[in-house]
Amino acid sequence: MEMRTIIEKKSTDIEPPDLLLVRHPTVQAFVDKKVAQARESLKNVNLSFLQKNQHPVK
Amino acid sequence: MTVPPYPFLVSENQLTFAFESVSPERVIIKQVLYDQINDIYYNLALVDVMPDGRLADDVVSDNQDLPKVIATVLQTMFVFFDEYPDKLIYFQGSDAVRTRFYRIIIDRELNKVRELFLIYGRKPDNSLEEFISNSVYVGFVFALKS
């Protein structure tokens, strides 16, 4: 998993924003809606395919 | 040629990420957000935010750097899976057009992405299958390749 090192502060000319790991209520409300949609969509999804295909769903 | 990702910040729980999408015209702040849907799935959302953190209203920001943005999102997936290796990442478009757009992106990046992840498509009948190019899907599932 060598690619992971990219998250450590990499010195480039572009600095990522530093205040934005806090979720603004407008962002959280948007995401909550997306999660509710996804939960509804996934309610009846059959997971047997994943279990048969290598992924050990826990 | 592999497009390098943007540098990004990550929260302690490895569920919230932030980076800047940069073009000669403007800088757009983006967040990649993972939220638990149920015991198995986490929802992936990519949003644009204003400098004060508020959600940006314009859904399509098109900063002419899509490959770089995708590369960055893929990197966040690695970080996510590092903390949550047994979980699955799920995302779907807000509408059919958006979902088709995601499918095209996955299609385009498929060879690269398949080296890293198992990818499944959720079909309209709610079954999952291994992602097949040009198939119709209503959602996508990513799992870490072991």
Side-chain angles (χ1 to χ4, degrees), chain A residues 26-27 30, chain B residues 28-29 47-50 53-59 61:
Chain A
T26 55
V27 171
F30 174 82
Chain B
I28 298 171
I29 303 164
V47 299
D48 293 355
V49 296
M50 309 291 279
R54 272 184 302 127
L55 184 72
D57 287 325
D58 51 341
V59 179
S61 54

Side-chain angles (χ1 to χ4, degrees), chain A residues 1 4 55, chain B residues 14 17 34 74-90 116-118 141-145:
Chain A
M1 219 58 77
R4 196 180 166 277
H55 188 74
Chain B
Q14 294 173 222
F17 301 77
Y34 294 86
L74 289 174
Q75 287 299 315
T76 71
M77 286 184 176
F78 269 111
V79 180
F80 170 87
F81 280 129
D82 193 51
E83 183 69 20
Y84 309 95
D86 299 325
K87 303 304 180 189
L88 304 175
I89 294 171
Y90 177 79
L116 315 172
F117 305 110
L118 301 169
V141 176
F142 278 62
L144 188 62
K145 211 165 187 175

Side-chain angles (χ1 to χ4, degrees), chain B residues 64-80:
Chain B
Q64 306 297 320
D65 61 348
L66 187 59
K68 207 167 169 65
V69 170
I70 292 168
T72 310
V73 173
L74 289 174
Q75 287 299 315
T76 71
M77 286 184 176
F78 269 111
V79 180
F80 170 87

Side-chain angles (χ1 to χ4, degrees), chain B residues 79-143:
Chain B
V79 180
F80 170 87
F81 280 129
D82 193 51
E83 183 69 20
Y84 309 95
D86 299 325
K87 303 304 180 189
L88 304 175
I89 294 171
Y90 177 79
F91 59 95
Q92 63 182 48
S94 48
D95 54 42
V97 174
R98 199 78 185 160
T99 302
R100 183 171 172 273
F101 176 66
Y102 293 151
R103 196 261 296 157
I104 291 169
I105 291 174
I106 295 170
D107 245 354
R108 206 176 59 186
E109 304 288 324
L110 196 57
N111 287 339
K112 184 170 65 186
V113 173
R114 271 215 172 118
E115 290 172 11
L116 315 172
F117 305 110
L118 301 169
I119 310 161
Y120 305 96
R122 181 171 74 86
K123 297 195 286 187
D125 67 359
N126 260 344
S127 61
L128 290 176
E129 68 177 14
E130 205 162 327
F131 184 92
I132 299 169
S133 294
N134 297 315
S135 295
V136 175
Y137 297 119
V138 293
F140 307 94
V141 176
F142 278 62

